[in-house]
Amino acid sequence: MSSPNILGGQRAWRSFLGTQEFGLALANLIAWGIILALDPQHNFASLDSARLLLREGVLLGILAIGAAIVIIAGGIDLSVGSVIAFTGVVCALLLRAFGGESLAAHQALPFWILLTSILLTLVTGLLVGAFHTLLVVKLDLPPFIATLGTLAGLRSLAKVLSNDAKIPANNDAFRALYTIWWVPTLILVFVLLATALLMRRTKVGRHLYALGGNEEAARLSGLSVGQLKLIAYSTAALLSTVVGILYAARQGQGDAESAVGYELSAIAAAVVGGCNLRGGIGTVGGTVLGVTFLTIVVNGIANVIKVDSTQWEGLVMGIVLILAVAVNRFRKEKD
Amino acid sequence: MNSRKYWIVMACAMLTTLACSTSKGPEPGAGGARPRFVFISNSNSPFWDAVRVGLDDAAKEFNVEVELMRNDGSTGGQIRRLEQVGAQREVKGVMVSVVEPSASGIIDQMKSLRAKGVRVIAVDSDGPMESREAYIGTNNLEAGRNLGKAAAQLLPQGGKVIAFVGIRSAQNAQERVNGFKEGAGAKIQVIDVMEDSSDVNKARRNVAAALQNHRDVKMLVGIWSYNAPAIVDEVKAAGKRSKLKLVTFDAEPNTLLALKDGMLDVTAVQNPYRMAYLGVKVLKAMVDGDQPGVTSVVGENGIKDTGVRLVVPDDSKTVTSEFLVRFSDFKKDLDAKGLTSS
C-alpha cells in the first residue's frame, strides 16, 4: 500500500509532466537534438554555439517578458522595436553629452556618467510606458492603435534627435554591458525572477491576470484598471529600454534604424511560450521557454541549411508561430 | 492529448519543414570535405546577384562551398550574421561588405573571427585594417573622381547637385561622395547628400522631395545601386528629365533599361562578379597556406582594386573617359557571363 506522501508526490510529478512549460522544455530539447543531428558539423554541440544562443536569447528574452506581461493584461505593445531604437539613441546622446571629449577620444568614462546616462534612459523608457497608458486609459484608444502610433513616432523622433546619424557609444565600460557575456545574462535572470514573482506571488500579478481575462469583470470587482495598465505598459517599456541600452552597447552606437521588426519577434516568442493574445493566459517561464525555442530554431536554420539560410528564417518563424497558436487553441478546446 | 504531446508534435512538424528545406543545401557528405566560405553583404539589392554568380563560379573552380548571406542593411543585422558565422565550425573564411566601419560591434566580431583562426577579408566596402586581412573592391575614391569628371563634362557651367545614398557614414559612400566632389570641381556644388537607410521606398521619397524643394538643382547623383532606378522613376514621373543630368553608380537591371532608353547620362559600374570571384580565390589560397597565391591577387599591401567603367547610352557624345564603355558593348559583356546586373 502506498503512503499518502508517495501518492501526493506522484500526482505532483504527473501534474508537472502535463504542464505547458514541461512540453515546451521538451520541444526545446527535441529541436536542439534534431538540429544537432541534421547538421553534418554538429555545430550546436560547440561552446561558440551555446554563447550565440545565449546572446541572441537574452535580448529577445528580456523583450518578450515585457510583451508577455502586456498580453496577459489583455493589451498589446507594438512599439517595442521603436522603443529600443529611441532609447538606444537617447542613451548614446546622453553618453556624448556627459562624456564629451572623453567619449570621442575612447578614454575611460567616470562611473557617474555611465550610471546617470543609463538611469536617465530608463526614466525615458518609463515615460514612454506612461504615455502608452495615457493613450489607452485616458483617451480610450485601442492598445493596437496607441502603440502603432508610437511604433512610427518614436523611430522618427530618434531620427530627429540623432539627425539621422549614428551616435557613437564606443566606450569599453559601456559596451561591457553586452560584450561580457554574463552581464546581459544576469540582467535576464534578474528580470525573469522579478517578473515571475510579480506575476505569481503578488496581488498585482493576480489582478493583471484578472484584467486580461475579463476587463469589465475586473473593473466591477473594484480593481484599479488604470493603475494595472500603467504597471503593464511601463514594465514593457522599461524592459524594451533595457534592451535598447544593451543593443546600443552591442553595436557601439545609438542607431535610429536598429531593431526593426523586433516587436513581432517579441510577440511571437510570448505566443509560442503559451500567452493567449486575448489576455489572461500565459506565464513568464513559458515565455522564456518560447524564446529559447525560437532562438534555437531560427539560429539552427543556418546550421542545417548551409546555402541561403537567411531566406528561410521568416518562413520557419511563421510556421512556428502559426503552429503555436493552433496548438494553444486546440488545447483550449480540449480542456 | 496533453500539452507535452502537442509541443512534441509541434517541434517535429516544424523541424520536418526545416529538414525538407535542406534539399537546397549541399549534397550529403560534401559538408566536411570542402572548405566553407561565407559572404555577408551590407544590404539586399540586385547588385548582389552578380556577386552570387561570381561566388558560384569560383566555388566550382576552387572546389569550395560558398554561402551568400544578404544583410538587411542594418548594423545589428550584420553583427548577428557575423555572430552566427562564428558559431559554425566548418566556416574557414568570411567575406564582409562592411555596413559601417565605425560600428565597433561589427569590427569586434570581425576581429573575434580572426582570433578563432577564420580568414576574414573585406569585399566591396572596407573596414579598418585590423579587422580584415585584405580588401577587394572598387577604389571608391577613384570611382567617385571619374564620375565627378564625367559630371563636370555634362554640366560645364556648373550648378547645384543633390546626391542620394543608403548610409552616409558607410566607407564606400563617403569615398564616392568625396571623390565625386573632387572630380567635379568647384563649379559643381553638392548641396545635400540624402540618406535612405537602405530603404528603397524612402530612396524614392527622397528624390521626390528633392525635386519639390530644390527647383534650381541641375543634377542628381545616385551613390548606391538602387538609388539609380529610384532617381530615374521619380524624375520621369515629375517630367523633368530634360532639365536634369542624372549620374549614378552601378547597373541594376532597371538601371540598364534606363541607360538603353537614354534616361541616364552615365553610370559608374563596378565589377561585383570579379570582386566575389577574387574573394573566394584569395580565401582559398589563405586556407591552403598559399601565400604567393594570396599576393598574386591582393599584392603586398593586401588591397585589390577591381576597377570601374563609365557606361553611357549608345548615342552619348558629351562624356569622354579612358574608362568609357557604351551600353551595347557593356550589355554584351554581361550576357557573356550570364549576368543581369553589375
Side-chain angles (χ1 to χ4, degrees), chain B residues 89-205:
Chain B
R89 289 180 287 199
E90 74 277 18
V91 175
K92 304 296 179 208
V94 178
M95 294 160 267
V96 189
S97 174
V98 180
V99 173
E100 287 220 25
S102 60
S104 43
I106 292 176
I107 306 312
D108 284 355
Q109 287 305 321
M110 289 170 74
K111 285 187 194 166
S112 161
L113 284 172
R114 290 187 68 187
K116 284 179 194 163
V118 178
R119 313 308 293 256
V120 179
I121 64 172
V123 178
D124 172 56
S125 181
D126 203 3
M129 278 181 71
E130 68 273 19
S131 66
R132 49 74 173 167
E133 294 177 71
Y135 168 66
I136 298 171
T138 309
N139 180 334
N140 285 297
L141 198 63
E142 198 53 41
R145 280 192 197 115
N146 285 317
L147 192 68
K149 284 175 190 167
Q153 292 170 10
L154 288 163
L155 273 185
Q157 306 301 321
K160 290 181 180 173
V161 167
I162 295 177
F164 303 89
V165 69
I167 297 168
R168 260 191 304 247
S169 52
Q171 187 134 339
N172 62 357
Q174 288 178 13
E175 289 174 356
R176 286 177 189 184
V177 171
N178 291 338
F180 179 86
K181 287 177 182 170
E182 276 181 38
K187 282 186 186 172
I188 290 180
Q189 299 168 262
V190 180
I191 59 169
D192 196 4
V193 180
M194 298 181 78
E195 189 179 53
D196 54 57
S197 308
S198 302
D199 178 345
V200 178
N201 289 323
K202 190 176 174 195
R204 288 171 192 276
R205 289 203 302 274

Side-chain angles (χ1 to χ4, degrees), chain A residues 18-19 22 41-43 164 166 170 175 178 250-251 253 257 272 299 302 304-306 308-309 330, chain B residues 3-4 6-7 21-22 24 36 52 67 75-76 83-84 88-90 100 104-105 108 195 197:
Chain A
T19 59
F22 180 74
Q41 284 74 35
H42 311 303
N43 282 307
D164 239 351
K166 312 285 185 278
N170 285 325
R175 295 205 59 226
Y178 179 79
R250 179 197 206 193
Q251 296 193 177
Q253 60 185 16
E257 295 292 343
V272 169
N299 285 285
V304 177
I305 306 170
K306 301 286 184 186
D308 298 333
S309 56
F330 195 46
Chain B
S3 65
R4 183 172 33 136
Y6 283 121
W7 284 108
S21 62
T22 55
K24 206 171 181 288
R36 183 159 176 257
R52 148 62 57 72
E67 177 180 8
T75 305
E83 284 177 346
Q84 273 187 335
Q88 294 176 9
R89 289 180 287 199
E90 74 277 18
E100 287 220 25
S104 43
D108 284 355
E195 189 179 53
S197 308

Side-chain angles (χ1 to χ4, degrees), chain A residues 246-330:
Chain A
L246 294 176
Y247 209 84
R250 179 197 206 193
Q251 296 193 177
Q253 60 185 16
D255 179 3
E257 295 292 343
S258 64
V260 174
Y262 272 43
E263 51 281 342
L264 296 181
S265 300
I267 293 167
V271 170
V272 169
C275 290
N276 188 324
L277 285 172
R278 288 177 185 163
I281 295 173
T283 61
V284 173
T287 300
V288 171
L289 288 167
V291 167
T292 55
F293 187 74
L294 277 184
T295 308
I296 287 171
V297 170
V298 170
N299 285 285
I301 295 167
N303 291 355
V304 177
I305 306 170
K306 301 286 184 186
V307 180
D308 298 333
S309 56
T310 47
Q311 295 172 6
W312 291 85
E313 285 180 6
L315 178 67
V316 174
M317 177 91 110
I319 291 171
V320 169
L321 187 63
I322 290 167
L323 278 171
V325 175
V327 164
N328 274 335
R329 195 179 172 84
F330 195 46

Side-chain angles (χ1 to χ4, degrees), chain B residues 90-340:
Chain B
E90 74 277 18
V91 175
K92 304 296 179 208
V94 178
M95 294 160 267
V96 189
S97 174
V98 180
V99 173
E100 287 220 25
S102 60
S104 43
I106 292 176
I107 306 312
D108 284 355
Q109 287 305 321
M110 289 170 74
K111 285 187 194 166
S112 161
L113 284 172
R114 290 187 68 187
K116 284 179 194 163
V118 178
R119 313 308 293 256
V120 179
I121 64 172
V123 178
D124 172 56
S125 181
D126 203 3
M129 278 181 71
E130 68 273 19
S131 66
R132 49 74 173 167
E133 294 177 71
Y135 168 66
I136 298 171
T138 309
N139 180 334
N140 285 297
L141 198 63
E142 198 53 41
R145 280 192 197 115
N146 285 317
L147 192 68
K149 284 175 190 167
Q153 292 170 10
L154 288 163
L155 273 185
Q157 306 301 321
K160 290 181 180 173
V161 167
I162 295 177
F164 303 89
V165 69
I167 297 168
R168 260 191 304 247
S169 52
Q171 187 134 339
N172 62 357
Q174 288 178 13
E175 289 174 356
R176 286 177 189 184
V177 171
N178 291 338
F180 179 86
K181 287 177 182 170
E182 276 181 38
K187 282 186 186 172
I188 290 180
Q189 299 168 262
V190 180
I191 59 169
D192 196 4
V193 180
M194 298 181 78
E195 189 179 53
D196 54 57
S197 308
S198 302
D199 178 345
V200 178
N201 289 323
K202 190 176 174 195
R204 288 171 192 276
R205 289 203 302 274
N206 281 349
V207 178
L211 293 176
Q212 279 185 349
N213 298 330
H214 302 280
R215 293 178 188 272
D216 54 346
V217 73
K218 301 279 189 218
M219 177 183 279
L220 303 182
V221 187
I223 300 294
W224 278 13
S225 64
Y226 59 84
N227 292 126
I231 288 171
V232 169
D233 287 353
E234 292 303 320
V235 169
K236 202 190 278 184
K240 292 190 172 175
R241 173 66 180 112
S242 59
K243 294 176 185 165
L244 288 165
K245 301 293 180 190
L246 308 179
V247 303
T248 63
F249 277 91
D250 303 320
E252 290 199 354
N254 287 338
T255 309
L256 291 171
L257 285 175
L259 270 172
K260 189 182 172 190
D261 297 341
M263 288 301 295
L264 270 181
D265 292 292
V266 58
T267 189
V269 177
Q270 307 177 78
N271 199 336
Y273 174 92
R274 191 163 158 74
M275 289 177 203
Y277 179 89
L278 291 178
V280 174
K281 188 177 177 181
V282 164
L283 284 180
K284 180 68 166 57
M286 285 175 171
V287 168
D288 290 346
D290 173 15
Q291 192 53 38
V294 175
T295 314
S296 70
V297 178
V298 294
E300 293 296 338
N301 64 352
I303 292 176
K304 172 68 182 173
D305 178 8
T306 47
V308 68
R309 287 177 286 180
L310 296 179
V311 186
V312 294
D314 287 341
D315 59 354
S316 170
K317 293 185 179 67
T318 318
V319 179
T320 57
S321 165
E322 60 182 301
F323 306 108
L324 197 78
V325 55
R326 299 207 174 268
F327 170 75
S328 300
D329 298 329
F330 179 68
K331 187 75 173 59
K332 272 182 210 159
D333 188 33
L334 288 185
D335 291 344
K337 288 195 180 87
L339 300 174
T340 56

